[in-house]
Amino acid sequence: MSNILSPSILSADFWKLGEQIKELEAAGVQWVHIDVMDGLFVPSISYGMPVIASIRKGTDLFFDVHLMIEKPERYIKEFVESGADLINFHLEATDAVEETIAQIRSYGKKVGITIKPNTPAEAVEPYLELVDMVLVMTVEPGFGGQKLIPSCVDKVPVIRRMITEKGLNVDIEVDGGINTENVSAALEAGANVIVAGSAVFKDDIRKNVEGFYSEMGYC
Ligand code: DX5
Ligand code: ZN
């Protein structure tokens, strides 16, 4: 299972969004993490379908969309049409988990289920056979630039064990407060997809990506 860096454009400079996405490409990045917030599931509001559709026109990067919205089942079609390749939604945001997974699958897209810091690792177990990814939040969702909560990383080996015991091939993504100092601990815990917002977009994007790659075992 390969390690992937998924830079979160929440920390980008939106005046230069296209330019900064090109900088990610030039640095060898393959995924981009897109945080959608509705002001209900989380306190803040970020961006939605029109922004995703607009950047879809300019890049072939893999779009890892993280929905922080209530009742995500209402909008799956729209996010697929905007260009999502993978849709992560929160277990805490819906009573229709299986229906939402099935909807995403019906469009041939990858599915991720996401848990907040206070949701136990065991909550994902019933769905592991149905998904491509589990996203473990390592901060309270809602804002970039927060400090990682170490106890959240402790859930990663528990989930990795469940996946291995079931003989499945499911990615584990971690999101929130990840930097070049703590990324190796997240990988050792069993995560293989790393989200980083402020640690990638602060100052020199290329240098920051290189810093992650050397910690993640890339040349
Ligand atoms: C937070 C978002 C994150 C955020 C990460 O709710 O889900 O993806 O952009 O930003 P950093 O890496 O700065 O914590
Ligand atoms: Zn995110």
Side-chain angles (χ1 to χ4, degrees), residues 8 10 33 35 37 66 68 137 141-145 175-177 195-198:
S8 165
L10 189 62
H33 184 85
D35 291 299
M37 303 180 184
H66 175 193
M68 286 164 272
M137 290 305 300
F143 303 95
D175 180 9
V195 177
S198 41

Side-chain angles (χ1 to χ4, degrees), residues 3 5 27 179-181 183-184 187-188 194 205-219:
N3 293 337
L5 179 66
N179 53 41
T180 50
E181 306 288 302
V183 65
S184 59
L187 294 170
E188 270 160 37
I194 303 295
I205 292 176
R206 187 174 197 127
K207 252 203 199 136
N208 294 335
V209 169
E210 279 166 10
F212 271 98
Y213 280 177
S214 73
E215 290 296 319
M216 292 171 72
Y218 296 173
C219 300

Side-chain angles (χ1 to χ4, degrees), residues 9 23 25 36 103 123 136 182 190 207 212:
I9 57 165
E23 279 185 63
E25 287 179 356
V36 178
Q103 258 204 75
V136 177
N182 57 27
K207 252 203 199 136
F212 271 98

Side-chain angles (χ1 to χ4, degrees), residues 46-124:
S46 56
Y47 38 71
M49 289 78 91
V51 170
I52 301 175
S54 172
I55 58 175
R56 180 77 287 172
K57 288 187 281 175
T59 181
D60 291 327
L61 290 178
F62 184 89
F63 282 5
D64 164 26
V65 174
H66 175 193
L67 298 182
M68 286 164 272
I69 66 175
E70 286 291 346
K71 299 195 192 309
E73 62 273 19
R74 295 173 299 155
Y75 289 109
I76 299 305
K77 183 169 184 278
E78 284 80 355
F79 283 105
V80 168
E81 285 171 354
S82 324
D85 293 300
L86 178 150
I87 298 181
N88 279 298
F89 67 94
H90 275 264
L91 292 187
E92 305 89 354
T94 180
D95 293 325
V97 174
E98 298 205 10
E99 180 207 316
T100 308
I101 293 172
Q103 258 204 75
I104 301 169
R105 281 257 178 266
S106 74
Y107 295 107
K109 301 299 170 187
K110 296 209 163 180
V111 183
I113 47 172
T114 310
I115 52 171
K116 297 206 286 184
N118 290 332
T119 301
E122 290 68 29
V124 303

